[in-house]
Amino acid sequence: MPLSVEKIENGTVIDHITPGKGLRVLGILQIDSEYKGRVALVMNVPSKHIGKKDIVKIEGKLIDDKTADKIALISPNATLNLIKNSEVIEKRNVKLPKVLTAAFKCPNPKCITNAELVETKFLVEKETLKCYFCERYFKAEELK
Ligand code: CTP
Ligand code: ZN
């Protein structure tokens, strides 16, 4: 039996998420127990394109470019579907950014960005991110 989730009216459907990463996507979107809109998380459902996938549907949420970049780091094939009045009015693929500014804190306590008021900056190199200031490498999973 297929696992069906009802359609949403206004908001965003993030489709083709790397299987298992849907929960992280909810974290990036800062969806927690305080969120009042309807939210669906579907994990490990069959996908025509990528074998298995996760899907996240959030009523009442729009995704800005910086958030889309963060999603790309953990799920490079994700598709963002903007839903208005129950119709998909825009579909875009996330794209791995080359640089991420002011998106995460640097986990290195000695990094200058943790001592002074400077925006963090990470250079994206395949699976890892390099802090522009302290030059340490981090996995996307380590950054908050
Ligand atoms: N969707 C939704 N609510 C709507 C419209 C669409 O939840 N009112 C969901 C669909 O269930 C689907 C995703 O948004 O998971 C994208 O919808 P659509 O483009 O119609 O589906 P596909 O053609 O299968 O998408 P793709 O070609 O990107 O795989
Ligand atoms: Zn640093």
Side-chain angles (χ1 to χ4, degrees):
M1 261 263 288
L3 188 60
S4 65
V5 177
E6 64 185 283
K7 298 204 176 262
I8 62 171
E9 271 173 46
N10 293 289
T12 305
V13 174
I14 307 166
D15 200 357
H16 309 118
I17 300 171
T18 306
K21 299 291 183 188
L23 264 175
R24 286 272 307 172
V25 170
L26 287 178
I28 290 168
L29 300 175
Q30 295 178 307
I31 303 286
D32 58 19
S33 55
E34 298 302 307
Y35 193 73
K36 299 295 179 230
R38 288 189 291 171
V39 176
L41 166 63
V42 181
M43 286 173 64
N44 302 316
V45 292
S47 156
K48 280 175 228 146
H49 316 291
I50 54 172
K52 276 185 190 174
K53 64 177 179 180
D54 287 7
I55 308 172
V56 164
K57 300 188 181 193
I58 312 127
E59 189 83 52
K61 187 102 182 168
L62 302 179
I63 308 242
D64 61 25
D65 289 344
K66 192 169 285 177
T67 308
D69 284 353
K70 290 186 188 175
I71 293 171
L73 286 174
I74 57 154
S75 188
N77 298 312
T79 322
L80 306 181
N81 298 275
L82 181 60
I83 314 292
K84 269 215 174 118
N85 300 320
S86 303
E87 303 285 335
V88 180
I89 62 155
E90 191 191 312
K91 205 181 263 285
R92 58 191 164 116
N93 294 313
V94 298
K95 197 169 145 274
L96 213 55
K98 289 196 168 63
V99 179
L100 265 170
T101 307
F104 303 106
K105 287 180 66 175
C106 180
N108 172 11
K110 295 197 172 127
C111 181
I112 182 135
T113 58
N114 289 313
E116 290 178 23
L117 264 181
V118 282
E119 282 192 332
T120 63
K121 185 161 144 185
F122 290 91
L123 313 177
V124 181
E125 299 179 6
K126 285 185 191 159
E127 306 286 283
T128 55
L129 292 101
K130 181 184 173 190
C131 175
Y132 172 81
F133 294 96
C134 69
E135 301 190 324
R136 287 217 193 158
Y137 287 86
F138 302 97
K139 290 201 182 103
E141 268 77 9
E142 292 178 82
L143 301 177
K144 287 198 181 83

